[in-house]
Amino acid sequence: MKRFLTIRRLSVLFFGIFGLMIAGVFVFQRFWMEPGERCEAQGKWYDMESRICAQPISIAEITGRPIGVTRAEASAEKNKELVVIETQLTAEKRARDAATAAERVRVEALQQR
């Protein structure tokens, strides 16, 4: 009677599976791990989930705030700018209201004639 799993067949099966596993490790290393290592060597950030190599962005580029300026200082500076703008808008509104009132007076004077 001839057995199906002889020592010879088991050894071929073992070395075949072992070879596939070793090849899988090399493929994993080459196509999954090395891109991240190359990206980080360039000084960028690598996201393993999406496999994206991205350039880090300075917070100053996002907020427009100069480096070394705190959030409170930048906020106070923006608030000063907003106060100036609000003052200008209020002055323009007063000028428009005064012009409108003067025009109403002129029109009423013309209508009474």
Side-chain angles (χ1 to χ4, degrees):
M1 181 170 154
K2 196 164 190 178
R3 291 185 181 182
F4 177 70
L5 294 176
T6 61
I7 291 295
R8 186 170 197 272
R9 284 186 183 169
L10 282 174
S11 64
V12 169
L13 185 64
F14 172 77
F15 285 119
I17 291 173
F18 182 74
L20 284 174
M21 289 176 63
I22 293 295
V25 167
F26 282 115
V27 167
F28 176 78
Q29 178 68 26
R30 177 77 174 144
F31 294 107
W32 193 265
M33 298 303 289
E34 283 183 10
E37 293 169 359
R38 284 193 304 266
C39 180
E40 290 173 359
Q42 294 172 357
K44 298 180 180 180
W45 292 342
Y46 188 73
D47 181 27
M48 287 296 273
E49 291 180 9
S50 61
R51 299 178 49 104
I52 294 175
C53 183
Q55 177 69 37
I57 299 173
S58 170
I59 191 72
E61 293 178 30
I62 296 171
T63 62
R65 184 172 69 218
I67 297 173
V69 175
T70 66
R71 181 183 291 176
E73 292 170 347
S75 181
E77 187 65 33
K78 287 292 182 184
N79 287 339
K80 288 178 189 175
E81 292 174 13
L82 289 176
V83 168
V84 170
I85 291 170
E86 287 175 353
T87 305
Q88 290 173 348
L89 290 175
T90 305
E92 289 174 6
K93 186 173 188 283
R94 279 193 211 127
R96 268 186 269 129
D97 290 344
T100 303
E103 186 66 21
R104 281 189 184 140
V105 169
R106 189 184 71 80
V107 169
E108 288 175 2
L110 287 176
Q111 287 177 350
Q112 288 178 358
R113 283 186 186 182

